[in-house]
Amino acid sequence: HYSDILRYFETKDYKEDVILQSMKTMCMNSAYVATHPYLLIDHYMPKSLITKDIPVHLAETSGKFTALRDLINLVQEYETDTAIVCRPGSTMDLLEALLLGNKVFIKRYDDHSIKSKQKPRNFSCTCHLFPSSDLDLKKHPINTSRQFDMLISLDPTVDTEREEIQAILRYKRDSKRSESHAPIVRLVTINSIEHCELYFGKLYPKSSRNFLESVTAAVVVLRDRVGTL
C-alpha cells in the first residue's frame, strides 16, 4: 500500500476510490497486527488452539496478549467477574485460547467457542468475552449474578457509549452511586494505529476523510516506532 499512499499525498495522479480503499485496507491490516500478528498472517495461525502450549505461545508473539495475560494473572486470584470486549471471529478465538492458560472460567457471548465443553472447575474468576460488534444481549443475555469489576477493551476503538456496552458497564450497579459504571481498561499498543485512531478520533469524525488521511499518515511516519516508548 506504500506506493498508493505516496501517490495520494504527493501527486494527483490516482483513482480516488482505489487509493482510499487501499488506505482503509492498510489501516485494517495494521489494526490486526497491533492486536496479534496471527490475525493477518493466516499460515502462522496454529491448527489447534486448545493444546497446552498455545497460551504461552500466543503471549510470546504479541505484546498486547502479554499485557492481558499479566493483567488476568493478577485478578484471577480473586472472586471477580471481568468483561473483555474484542473484535468477533478470529480475535475472540485467540483471546479464548490465551485465557485457557489461566485459572479462569470463560463465558463467550456469541455462537462460537474453540472448546466445545469446559470441565467444571472451581475458579473464583470468570472472564466474559463480548464481541465489539454485532453484540446481541437479547440473544445472549449477561450470565452472572454480580456486577463486572472492570471492562477490558482489547479492541480500543470500541464505542463505550453504545447501548450494549453501557449495559455491561452498568450491570447490577446502582445508578445513584459514584461507581455507577465499571471501570474501563483499554489495551493500546503505543505508537500503533490504535494510538493514532484514539488521538485523531478526538479531532475528526471517524467516518471522515480527514480522519483517514491523518491516521494513514501517522501510521506511515510511526511504522518503525510501534511498541516503543
Side-chain angles (χ1 to χ4, degrees), residues 137 142 148 162-171:
L137 292 179
I142 296 174
F148 291 108
R162 277 176 42 212
E163 181 180 348
E164 298 86 357
I165 304 300
Q166 282 292 309
I168 298 170
L169 295 171
R170 298 194 306 263
Y171 187 74

Side-chain angles (χ1 to χ4, degrees), residues 40-185:
L40 182 62
I41 308 172
D42 289 339
H43 63 268
Y44 283 158
M45 183 74 77
K47 293 181 180 180
S48 174
L49 291 174
I50 60 174
T51 55
K52 290 184 177 180
D53 63 321
I54 288 297
V56 172
H57 187 58
L58 290 175
E60 287 177 342
T61 47
S62 166
K64 179 176 286 194
F65 272 49
T66 299
L68 178 60
R69 180 195 59 185
D70 292 345
L71 185 56
I72 298 301
N73 282 343
L74 293 175
V75 302
Q76 70 182 5
E77 303 301 327
Y78 304 93
E79 191 171 343
T80 55
D81 280 85
T82 300
I84 307 177
V85 183
C86 70
R87 293 183 183 89
S90 297
T91 304
M92 188 170 284
D93 289 343
L94 290 182
L95 172 59
E96 182 182 359
L98 177 76
L99 294 175
L100 288 174
N102 287 89
K103 298 175 182 178
V104 298
F105 187 72
I106 304 168
K107 293 182 180 180
R108 280 183 66 156
Y109 291 78
D110 60 3
D111 293 316
H112 306 283
S113 178
I114 63 171
K115 200 167 186 178
S116 57
K117 293 182 179 179
Q118 290 192 56
K119 296 179 181 179
R121 295 179 179 177
N122 189 26
F123 293 140
S124 56
C125 176
T126 300
C127 289
H128 303 255
L129 314 188
F130 297 95
S132 59
S133 60
D134 300 322
L135 173 58
D136 188 347
L137 292 179
K138 291 182 179 179
K139 184 178 180 181
H140 303 287
I142 296 174
N143 184 17
T144 179
S145 59
R146 300 178 302 204
Q147 66 185 24
F148 291 108
D149 298 278
M150 66 176 165
L151 182 145
I152 301 173
S153 178
L154 194 66
D155 173 8
T157 60
V158 64
D159 182 4
T160 54
E161 297 301 319
R162 277 176 42 212
E163 181 180 348
E164 298 86 357
I165 304 300
Q166 282 292 309
I168 298 170
L169 295 171
R170 298 194 306 263
Y171 187 74
K172 297 287 184 180
R173 287 178 177 264
D174 188 344
S175 60
K176 297 179 181 179
R177 300 186 62 180
S178 59
E179 297 180 350
S180 59
H181 290 64
I184 301 171
V185 178

